[in-house]
Amino acid sequence: MIKGLVTIGTTTFDSLIKVLDKPSEKVSMKFQIAGGIYKPVNHDYEKFIPDIQSHYSEFDFIVTHAGAGSVYTLLESPMKFAVVANVERSDDHQLELARFVGSNNYAQTYTVDELQALSLLQIYETIIGKDCVKYKKEVFFKGKEIIDYIQGNGGGIS
Amino acid sequence: MNKNLNKSVLLIAGEGGHLEQARRFNEMNQKLVNGEFIVVTDEQEKNVKLSCEVIRMKNISALTKQRTIRNMMAFMVLFTIEFVKTLYILFKTRPCGVIAFGPIFCLPFIFWARVSGLKAVYIETWSKFYEPTITAKICNKLAHRIYIQNITLKDKLVNGIYGGRL
């Protein structure tokens, strides 16, 4: 059985949970639903999964909301995953991050509408089959400058 | 490590990705600070493991994600109560400065730092590439320094200092 995880962070994202709560003989899902009203009927779910990042490797694929904590952690891991922007929120934070991931080909991106027509197996096969670019970043290098500035030890801008 | 409380630095962060940025900043720079970091957050679920002192406010960030009039009014009331409670704790701790990671509830802490004569730094969220947050636009004027994690924001925040990504 193929195992998939859906994680939506701390904000509700019922439309994503609902669209992925499809019966499947080959794919078993686990949903992290936060405070959502919709409760999955075809797969397991939990409100929150403590230290969820340490459980990623137990799954064959992950579908995540475009929350930055989840996305950057997954980009830095070897996991295969897809990103879905949560447009149920009032702000557009997640659209920008999903666009960043998609336009750089770092991972598969979907909208909730696009997931509607796909089976869980098709979603899994698309995520696994996608030839992604390896994520690289310039690691934050201003920590010492900031601390020196705050603690009065200099910290001039370099 | 020298635990000089008068040199402690506050890291202000909401839930989720905001707190993850504070966690990473703490991990990367803990050895550089002469004193310690104290994280002030409203995350309740303890999904993010923090290796420093943490002050937890009641969860108010969630109210800003669905911006109805009712939620905004509840936000103002709850935030005022939590802010006063937190300031009381901070008065006893006496930090030497503030580093804020968003969201918008960081603003009063930045303002408080400025009127108290402390240094205030804002680090714009790593999830914005094309248009800064409202918090960043305000901190562009309010904070002593503002740092950006995505170089694409440089044109939008004239005072933004690029620092790489946490």
Side-chain angles (χ1 to χ4, degrees), chain B residues 21-40:
Chain B
Q21 290 170 87
R23 184 195 70 79
R24 291 184 182 203
F25 189 91
N26 173 53
E27 296 293 325
M28 291 169 74
N29 299 297
Q30 210 166 32
K31 290 179 180 168
L32 299 175
V33 71
N34 179 21
E36 64 180 358
F37 290 124
I38 301 172
V39 172
V40 179

Side-chain angles (χ1 to χ4, degrees), chain A residues 50-68:
Chain A
D51 196 18
I52 191 168
Q53 295 164 2
S54 66
H55 296 282
Y56 286 164
S57 60
E58 298 166 15
F59 296 90
D60 299 301
F61 72 106
I62 294 172
V63 178
T64 179
H65 72 134

Side-chain angles (χ1 to χ4, degrees), chain B residues 82-92 108-109 112:
Chain B
E82 290 302 308
F83 181 61
V84 170
K85 281 162 60 180
T86 307
L87 281 190
Y88 175 71
I89 298 168
L90 298 179
F91 182 74
K92 292 193 290 186
F109 288 96
W112 163 78

Side-chain angles (χ1 to χ4, degrees), chain B residues 107-159:
Chain B
L107 289 176
F109 288 96
I110 298 267
F111 182 75
W112 163 78
R114 291 222 57 151
V115 299
S116 304
L118 307 177
K119 292 289 196 306
V121 170
Y122 178 73
I123 301 179
E124 170 66 326
T125 178
W126 53 8
S127 61
K128 296 295 276 186
F129 296 84
Y130 313 106
E131 189 64 35
T133 58
I134 294 169
T135 312
K137 288 175 183 171
I138 297 169
C139 283
N140 201 36
K141 303 282 186 190
L142 185 63
H144 289 101
R145 285 187 186 176
I146 180 167
Y147 288 82
I148 55 175
Q149 301 186 62
N150 297 311
I151 194 73
T152 46
L153 278 180
K154 184 65 185 161
D155 292 340
K156 301 278 185 170
L157 288 169
V158 290
N159 297 327

Side-chain angles (χ1 to χ4, degrees), chain A residues 137-149:
Chain A
K137 69 174 180 182
E138 187 171 18
V139 177
F140 196 79
F141 55 90
K142 291 288 190 178
K144 185 173 188 310
E145 176 181 296
I146 292 170
I147 291 164
D148 285 348
Y149 174 66

Side-chain angles (χ1 to χ4, degrees), chain B residues 38-51:
Chain B
I38 301 172
V39 172
V40 179
T41 181
D42 71 335
E43 175 146 325
Q44 308 296 303
E45 300 299 332
K46 300 184 181 175
N47 285 332
V48 178
K49 284 185 178 173
L50 294 157
S51 60

